[in-house]
């Protein structure tokens, strides 16, 4: 009788040991592989088609209701419409001669004033040497909503200046228009190539390496399509697709890797492909679901900060993770069942299975840690503390145009204004502040208050220039422009905004009913930074509470979740430290394409905390679930830790290496925020896969012994039963 083909689907009932939702799901997918694969391909095509039809728009526009900068902007819009909206600068420069009273410049300014949504284009401000000039172009809407195609209209308007061989560059808020949409395709290809190389080395088989990669690509493509469809109605930040791709690709490959490794082990142990696929989903698939839920919960917790801009970034990443986790427990088992024993075809070496033997190197490592647990615990903690030290000086802020690549129009405009001399030029001219005074019932005192405010502004430290306040058309407001002495991202500029709001204006208006505000792009960025700093503790508390409850329900212990929370806090702090040293201190920043130190972008620490916490939990869940299985069977601490390390050692090391490679590939992105997130996440993965997994987790488990699994009986009865 001929042997059954791997493509046939058995109809026998599920083996008794394959019970529970994940097992039944895995068995069904394993028995109907072609149906499952077809459904996923249809879902991919539908998602990408839907994304194209939705025509998603991505914007970095941030709303900060209740902040003083927003209040000032609202007053301007209501009482001085010409001063509302946003403004950009068109810079003209020549190395020979002068641009002063230049006919081509004047013609360009006139053409700019006639563009759609432009309310005014100021008379050119000319530098002392006459070689540089700029016009401030004010819009009736936020510049970022104009879209990148608006650049063509700017180019047509400034053609007279270009035809006269003048250099033209766009700065100020126009960088949100002219900046090319981020294209991280090269980074994605590098990450995919690196992941494939690691998979080939780990599995020793071309087919085994391709399966996790292809399934992850299908899942990520579907997830990005869903994000694009949602973005048709909900505005996401411009970094959202990159963030979703980076995280989705990393966890997608890792999840498929965990399942493929377990499947190959079951094949070696003598199970048929369908049963092996079902067993894989029953065990590793359950851990994947718990890990995926942990990441999603951590990302969605970003909404707790009250800033929808940040919450939506978490939502985009959550969609990608949810889709990849779903693919891991459906598409991967189907593909594994269909591939069957052919998975090691095109092998480069003999397949190697995970081991848990007593003579295994992981067991020997566990024994060494068991003999000197305090030594390992103290050494690991000291390393994390040392790495975290720079985080004590971490300064949040906004990365200005000086960090843009050389040759871009925004960087050129920034440098031309910074390098020129004269009123309206210098580094602070790239960070103009608009001071708004609401006169209220003191309109009759407008002239006196204007003089008082102007004197107070000019006398404030780190102010390079302050114009005389002018009344709005209806006489309700006084408005003035303050030019800081330093650049937008300099710490003194942020301090200046705070000083103007908290001291200078209140003192100047003391005894009157008038109120002062500082608005504009730079002031809004300072308010955003301060808002993020105030709400970061809320995010930390929310993520910690959610993770603690989830892990308590999974491992039936209060000690294990507490240790996991503390270890992840330490890992995140160490990642912050490395980020500070590289970007803020400039240690090695040249390797990332940055020519000078920059502050840490305001929302990066908040994003990193949620992402790092979720991803770090992935490895700990896989490791601790194996340790827990052996502990409950043997009550032997040394054996359970050693077996857990042995059973997961190769696969977690491979998964960490893949995720690190994927994240590091995105440090080539032209977007500084993406560079920061990519490097921070790569560092956290390395720390979690080495120091935490190999040193801190085993040493702490040896020291606590049976206490690791302590939980009050009443709480054990109350909590829902989840398994990983």
């Amino acid at each position: 009788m001929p042997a059954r083909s791997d493509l046939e689907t058995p109809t026998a009932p599920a083996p008794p040991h394959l019970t529970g939702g994940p097992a039944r799901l895995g068995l069904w997918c394993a028995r109907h592989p072609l149906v499952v694969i077809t459904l996923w391909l249809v879902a991919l095509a539908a998602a990408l088609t839907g994304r194209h039809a939705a025509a998603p728009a991505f914007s970095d526009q941030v709303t900060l209701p209740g902040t003083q900068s927003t209040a000032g902007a609202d007053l301007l819009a209501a009482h001085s419409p010409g001063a509302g909206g946003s403004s950009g600068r068109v810079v003209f420069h020549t190395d020979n001669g002068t641009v002063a009273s230049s006919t081509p410049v004047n013609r360009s300014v006139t053409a700019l004033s006639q563009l759609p949504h432009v309310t005014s284009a100021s008379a050119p401000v000319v530098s002392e040497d006459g070689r540089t000039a700029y016009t401030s172009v004010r819009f009736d809407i936020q510049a970022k909503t104009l879209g990148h195609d608006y650049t063509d209209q700017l180019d047509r308007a400034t053609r007279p200046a270009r035809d006269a061989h003048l250099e033209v560059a766009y700065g100020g808020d126009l960088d949100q228009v002219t900046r090319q949409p981020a294209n991280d395709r090269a980074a994605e290809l590098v990450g995919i190539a690196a992941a494939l190389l690691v998979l080939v080395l780990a599995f020793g088989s071309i087919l085994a390496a391709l399966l996790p990669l292809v399934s992850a690509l299908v899942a990520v493509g579907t997830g990005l399509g869903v994000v694009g469809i949602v973005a048709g109605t909900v505005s996401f930040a411009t970094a959202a697709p990159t963030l979703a791709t980076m995280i989705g690709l990393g966890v997608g490959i890792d999840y498929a890797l965990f399942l493929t490794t377990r499947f190959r082990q079951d094949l070696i142990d003598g199970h048929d492909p369908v049963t092996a696929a079902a067993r894989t989903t029953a065990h590793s698939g359950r851990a994947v679901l718990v890990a995926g839920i942990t990441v999603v919960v951590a990302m969605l917790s970003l909404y707790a900060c009250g800033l929808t801009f940040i919450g939506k970034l978490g939502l985009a990443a959550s969609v990608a993770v949810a889709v990849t986790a779903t693919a891991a427990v459906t598409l991967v088992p189907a593909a594994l069942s269909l591939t069957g024993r052919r998975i090691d075809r095109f092998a480069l070496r003999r397949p190697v299975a995970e081991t848990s033997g007593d003579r295994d190197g992981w067991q020997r490592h566990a024994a060494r840690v068991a003999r000197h647990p305090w030594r390992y615990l103290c050494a690991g903690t000291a390393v994390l503390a040392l790495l975290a030290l720079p985080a004590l000086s971490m300064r949040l802020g906004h990365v200005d145009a000086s960090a843009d690549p050389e040759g871009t129009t925004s960087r050129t405009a920034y440098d031309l204004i910074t390098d020129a001399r004269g009123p309206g030029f210098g580094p602070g001219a790239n960070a103009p502040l608009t001071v708004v005074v609401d006169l209220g019932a003191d309109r009759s005192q407008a002239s006196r208050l204007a003089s008082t405010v102007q004197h107070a502004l000019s006398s404030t430290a780190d102010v390079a220039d302050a114009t005389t306040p002018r009344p709005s058309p209806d006489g309700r407001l006084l408005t003035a422009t303050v030019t800081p002495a330093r650049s937008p991202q300099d710490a003194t500029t942020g301090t200046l905004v705070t000083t103007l709001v908290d001291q200078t204006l209140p003192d100047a208006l003391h005894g009157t009913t008038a109120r002062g505000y500082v608005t504009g792009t730079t002031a809004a960025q300072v308010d955003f930074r301060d808002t993020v700093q105030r709400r970061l503790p809320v995010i930390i508390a929310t993520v910690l509470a959610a993770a603690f409850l989830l892990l308590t329900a999974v491992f039936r212990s209060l000690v294990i979740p507490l240790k996991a929370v503390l270890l992840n806090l330490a890992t995140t702090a160490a990642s912050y430290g490395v980020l500070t040293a590289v970007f803020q201190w400039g240690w090695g920043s040249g390797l990332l394409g940055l020519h000078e130190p920059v502050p840490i972008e305001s929302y990066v620490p908040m994003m990193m905390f949620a992402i790092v916490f979720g991803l770090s939990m992935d490895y700990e869940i896989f490791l601790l679930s194996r340790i827990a299985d052996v502990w409950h069977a043997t009550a032997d601490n040394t054996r359970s830790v050693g077996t857990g390390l042995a059973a997961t050692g190769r696969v977690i090391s491979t998964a960490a290496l893949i995720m690190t490679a994927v994240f590091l590939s995105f440090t080539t992105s032209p977007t500084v925020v993406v560079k920061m997130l990519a490097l921070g996440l790569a560092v956290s993965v390395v720390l979690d896969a080495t120091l935490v997994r190999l040193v801190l987790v085993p040493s702490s488990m040896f020291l606590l012994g049976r206490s690791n699994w302590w939980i009050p009986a009443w709480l054990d009865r109350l909590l829902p039963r989840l398994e990983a």
Side-chain angles (χ1 to χ4, degrees):
M1 186 174 181
R4 183 180 64 84
S5 168
D6 286 333
L7 297 180
E8 295 178 16
T9 54
T11 57
H17 57 278
L18 292 179
T19 58
R24 290 193 295 271
L25 176 64
L27 186 61
W28 191 91
C29 293
R31 286 175 170 173
H32 307 87
L34 295 179
V35 173
V36 174
I37 293 173
T38 301
L39 288 176
W40 269 103
L41 293 177
V42 170
L44 173 63
L48 295 180
T49 302
R51 175 189 173 93
H52 180 74
F58 299 92
S59 171
D60 290 326
Q61 185 170 357
V62 180
T63 56
L64 296 170
T67 60
Q68 67 86 30
S69 61
T70 299
D74 291 342
L75 285 170
L76 279 177
H79 300 282
S80 186
S86 62
S87 65
R89 287 176 172 174
V90 180
V91 186
F92 306 93
H93 177 76
T94 181
D95 290 327
N96 301 304
T98 178
V99 294
S101 303
S102 168
T103 299
V105 169
N106 292 333
R107 288 174 57 195
S108 295
V109 172
T110 300
L112 287 168
S113 67
Q114 297 170 352
L115 290 178
H117 298 294
V118 172
T119 59
S120 66
S122 69
V125 179
V126 185
S127 63
E128 289 179 351
D129 61 8
R131 294 184 176 183
T132 305
Y134 67 82
T135 176
S136 294
V137 182
R138 192 165 292 279
F139 300 91
D140 58 8
I141 59 175
Q142 292 296 318
K144 62 188 70 178
T145 64
L146 294 171
H148 181 66
D149 292 341
Y150 196 82
T151 305
D152 294 336
Q153 299 187 54
L154 294 172
D155 288 342
R156 285 194 293 270
T158 57
R159 185 170 296 159
R162 297 178 191 277
D163 291 343
H165 306 292
L166 298 180
E167 184 176 10
V168 180
Y170 308 120
D173 289 348
L174 281 176
D175 65 352
Q176 302 166 23
V177 175
T178 60
R179 187 172 289 143
Q180 288 280 356
N183 184 359
D184 295 308
R185 194 70 62 200
E188 295 169 9
L189 293 176
V190 171
I192 291 171
L196 179 59
L197 177 61
V198 175
L199 287 168
V200 169
L201 293 176
F203 284 127
S205 163
I206 301 297
L207 194 56
L210 285 174
L211 194 148
L213 186 61
V214 173
S215 63
L217 290 175
V218 171
V220 170
T222 306
L224 286 177
V226 174
V227 169
I229 293 172
V230 177
T233 55
V234 177
S235 178
F236 285 106
T238 54
T242 300
L243 182 65
T245 301
M246 182 168 61
I247 297 177
L249 193 60
V251 301
I253 296 174
D254 277 8
Y255 291 165
L257 169 66
F258 288 133
L259 271 73
T260 303
T261 301
R262 184 63 180 257
F263 174 78
R264 293 172 82 232
Q265 179 66 61
D266 281 343
L267 287 182
I268 292 174
D269 290 344
H271 296 285
D272 66 88
V274 171
T275 302
R279 283 173 53 86
T280 294
T281 313
H283 299 289
S284 294
R286 184 179 286 111
V288 163
L289 289 177
V290 173
I293 291 172
T294 304
V295 177
V296 170
V297 168
M299 298 305 308
L300 292 181
S301 296
L302 289 169
Y303 272 105
C305 73
L307 297 171
T308 56
F309 173 83
I310 296 178
K312 289 175 183 176
L313 282 171
L315 175 61
S318 296
V319 169
V321 173
V323 173
T324 54
T326 303
V329 295
T330 55
L331 176 61
V332 173
L336 290 173
S337 174
L338 186 64
T339 305
R341 300 189 185 280
R342 296 188 298 271
I343 194 167
D344 287 317
R345 185 169 293 180
F346 311 116
L348 303 179
R349 59 172 171 78
R350 183 184 177 189
V352 179
E354 294 289 355
T355 175
S356 58
D358 292 335
R359 296 184 179 180
D360 184 84
W362 299 106
Q363 290 279 8
R364 292 193 295 271
H365 171 72
R368 284 194 299 269
V369 177
R371 288 194 297 270
H372 307 285
W374 279 111
R375 182 184 303 176
Y376 279 87
L377 181 65
C378 292
T381 303
V383 172
L384 287 181
L386 183 64
L387 291 174
L389 277 178
L392 296 175
S393 65
M394 184 168 63
R395 179 174 66 86
L396 302 185
H398 177 70
V399 180
D400 61 31
S402 66
D404 287 352
E406 292 186 0
T408 59
T409 187
S410 56
R411 172 69 181 278
T412 301
Y414 181 95
D415 289 343
L416 289 174
I417 291 177
T418 298
D419 296 340
R421 295 293 178 263
F425 291 91
N430 288 297
L433 305 172
T434 301
V435 173
V436 179
V437 177
D438 183 2
L439 294 172
D442 289 315
R443 296 190 189 188
S444 61
Q445 303 295 320
S447 179
R448 181 182 66 81
L449 286 176
S451 177
T452 302
V453 169
Q454 201 278 335
H455 176 74
L457 294 175
S458 299
S459 303
T460 303
D462 295 315
V463 170
D465 183 58
T467 64
T468 301
R470 296 183 178 182
S472 60
D474 63 0
R476 171 70 180 271
L477 307 178
L478 292 175
T479 61
T481 300
V482 172
T483 302
R486 305 290 179 86
S487 68
Q489 68 183 24
D490 194 280
T492 59
T493 301
T495 302
L496 173 61
V497 173
T498 303
T499 300
L500 293 176
V501 173
D502 295 341
Q503 298 178 21
T504 303
L505 290 175
D507 291 347
L509 302 174
H510 181 69
T512 72
T513 60
R515 287 196 60 184
Y517 306 88
V518 181
T519 189
T521 301
T522 302
Q525 290 164 354
V526 172
D527 279 348
F528 181 73
R529 178 203 66 189
D530 294 343
T531 302
V532 168
Q533 286 180 323
R534 287 195 304 270
R535 298 180 182 180
L536 181 58
V538 176
I539 290 296
I540 292 176
T542 303
V543 173
L544 293 184
F548 184 84
L549 290 174
L550 179 62
L551 293 179
T552 300
V554 170
F555 294 109
R556 320 308 296 180
S557 165
L558 288 180
V559 179
I560 292 291
L562 180 60
K563 286 196 305 181
V565 164
L566 293 176
L567 289 175
N568 277 280
L569 281 174
T571 303
T572 304
S575 301
Y576 286 171
V578 174
L579 213 60
T580 302
V582 172
F583 287 93
Q584 188 175 311
W585 294 1
W587 291 4
S589 59
L591 298 175
L592 300 177
L594 298 175
H595 70 288
E596 65 179 21
V598 296
I600 305 303
E601 187 68 41
S602 299
Y603 61 89
V604 164
M606 186 179 288
M607 292 292 303
M608 267 191 59
F609 178 80
I611 300 172
V612 167
F613 205 90
L615 295 182
S616 297
M617 286 296 180
D618 281 6
Y619 299 145
E620 291 181 32
I621 286 172
F622 279 96
L623 171 60
L624 292 172
S625 63
R626 292 298 184 95
I627 293 176
D629 289 343
V630 181
W631 165 258
H632 291 308
T634 66
D636 184 331
N637 226 10
T638 303
R639 184 176 180 82
S640 62
V641 173
T643 302
L645 288 173
T648 62
R650 183 179 292 108
V651 66
I652 289 183
S653 298
T654 302
L657 188 56
I658 289 172
M659 196 171 286
T660 301
V662 170
F663 289 157
L664 286 179
S665 70
F666 280 88
T667 59
T668 62
S669 171
T671 306
V672 178
V673 171
V674 174
K675 291 178 185 288
M676 290 182 180
L677 286 171
L679 180 64
L681 295 177
V683 170
S684 71
V685 169
V686 171
L687 292 176
D688 193 71
T690 54
L691 272 180
V692 173
R693 176 174 62 109
L694 301 179
V695 177
L696 296 175
V697 168
S699 61
S700 62
M701 296 203 72
F702 288 135
L703 287 170
L704 291 172
R706 287 182 172 273
S707 299
N708 284 302
W709 311 102
W710 178 80
I711 186 173
W714 63 268
L715 183 59
D716 188 37
R717 292 191 299 268
L718 182 64
L719 288 173
R721 294 200 169 270
L722 303 175
E723 295 182 9

